[in-house]
Amino acid sequence: MKEERNLILEAYFVVRKRQPTTHYPLRTMSSRFIVLSLFLTMFASLLVLPAAAQDVETEEPVLREVSDDEVNEVAKDLYCPVCENTPLDVCPTKACADWRELIRTKLAAGETKQDVFDYFVLQYGDSALARPPKTGINFVLWLLPFIAVALGLVFFARYMKGLRQDDPETVTSASGVQDVSPEPAPDDYSARVEQELKGK
Amino acid sequence: MTDTIQPTENPTVGTEKSKPKFRVTTILLWVAVIGILALVGWGLINANKTRPEAGQTAPGFTVHYFDGYEWENASASTLEEMKGKVVVLNFWASWCVECRVEADLLEQASRQYANEDVVFLGVAYADVEPNSIEYLKEFGITYPNAPDLGTSISSDYEITGVPETFFIGKDGVIANVVIGPVNGPAMMNTINTLLAEGGSQ
């Protein structure tokens, strides 16, 4: 982990070194001195440059220009804990600007989108990801809506089945198709009254 | 007429209703429902967690220090290892303007208490590591500092922002919490009291 942290720091500071620096004022030197020093510098560089260039190539990681679009393509799937519910690509805070700059540094060093995600998870936890990995409690929480809907359907189906069995108006015909009688069935009391009247 | 007055009978319904049903599927369904409710309850309890206040035991943690920083010759420490010492746990970030107000003050205090049982510990919250290191260099901070890996320490301490400082007694109990930059005399007073008492205030 320490080695990875050191590599990131190295790459970050290499990017920083490329920023323009203030030049030493040449006006204070005489023109003859300038010509002489330029000549000497060129001569010296012919001798030293090949070796120096080799050193630079081996020490510094390969860096490339990374556009804002490339940075935002990664940042849109990340969230910083300071600004909840605001994706990193549109978050206006200084903290998020720093995070985006770190993404740029890492992409410039040749890292992939997944490498950047892995680093952010290590540094800031799963909550930095817009789509946390579906493992452990995250997987249970991800499944929860589906389980809830399935359970709801099962309960609803059982309830409907219960209603049909309880309903005395529902009669199953010989063909297996349920047939509902159009007239309401009379209760026992009225049936008894009818029979008593007939008997008289 | 007689056809219509015959009472309809459904003997199967009557017998099913009279017997209580304890089928495996029913039990499984209810177990699933209770499980979901328990999970939702657990989530709600976690969401409503409050910051540990004075009088409560400080949540334990492990820190992996920035390069060039250590405590007792170790590049990583736990709060448990610091038991018996007063711990000044300061959450900060390089992007935090208010943190710059207290940075010098904390460094001076850490030097002042260097030979006493006091540990100053800085934890960088949601910060980019190169920026954290530049910040530490800028203020010449020498006391141990570490990134909050996985945002786990700040999550356990439920910080509401930075800077926030927790003063933890020798017994591992939180004695005081300061939201915002620390005040010099008040900080000294708290540390001196904790050193004298040997525990929380």
Side-chain angles (χ1 to χ4, degrees), chain A residues 113-151:
Chain A
K113 193 175 178 177
Q114 192 54 50
D115 292 338
V116 176
F117 287 166
D118 292 345
Y119 174 78
F120 272 74
V121 167
L122 175 78
Q123 288 288 315
Y124 311 110
D126 280 346
S127 56
L129 297 176
R131 285 181 290 274
K134 294 184 191 76
T135 52
I137 191 73
N138 284 339
F139 180 66
V140 177
L141 291 173
W142 185 80
L143 271 185
L144 204 62
F146 299 104
I147 296 171
V149 169
L151 278 176

Side-chain angles (χ1 to χ4, degrees), chain B residues 75-158:
Chain B
S75 61
S77 314
T78 61
L79 183 64
E80 186 64 26
E81 288 166 359
M82 294 174 185
K83 216 163 187 178
K85 296 177 189 294
V86 174
V87 179
V88 181
L89 176 64
N90 174 248
F91 290 94
W92 61 274
S94 67
W95 43 261
C96 154
V97 179
E98 292 283 281
C99 300
R100 293 171 178 271
V101 175
E102 62 171 16
D104 283 331
L105 204 63
L106 285 166
E107 175 57 23
Q108 282 169 20
S110 75
R111 286 171 192 246
Q112 192 177 327
Y113 289 99
N115 297 321
E116 299 196 51
D117 281 342
V118 182
V119 183
F120 280 77
L121 176 62
V123 172
Y125 167 71
D127 207 0
V128 173
E129 192 165 340
N131 293 5
S132 299
I133 289 171
E134 274 195 6
Y135 175 94
L136 293 171
K137 277 185 188 162
E138 183 185 338
F139 290 98
I141 290 169
T142 55
Y143 61 86
N145 266 274
D148 183 10
L149 290 180
T151 326
S152 57
I153 306 173
S154 49
S155 174
D156 287 345
Y157 280 77
E158 292 288 330

Side-chain angles (χ1 to χ4, degrees), chain B residues 40-52:
Chain B
V40 170
W42 175 77
L44 284 173
I45 289 167
N46 271 343
N48 293 328
K49 247 187 354 185
T50 53
R51 182 180 46 232

Side-chain angles (χ1 to χ4, degrees), chain A residues 77-103:
Chain A
D77 291 327
L78 290 168
Y79 286 77
C80 94
V82 185
C83 334
E84 282 180 356
N85 304 323
T86 310
L88 191 59
D89 59 333
V90 292
C91 185
T93 62
K94 172 80 170 65
C96 288
D98 287 351
W99 280 34
R100 284 195 294 271
E101 220 37 54
L102 183 67
I103 294 171

Side-chain angles (χ1 to χ4, degrees), chain A residues 40-56:
Chain A
L40 282 173
T41 314
M42 281 169 71
F43 184 72
S45 62
L46 280 173
L47 296 172
V48 182
L49 202 64
Q54 238 176 0
D55 284 348
V56 169

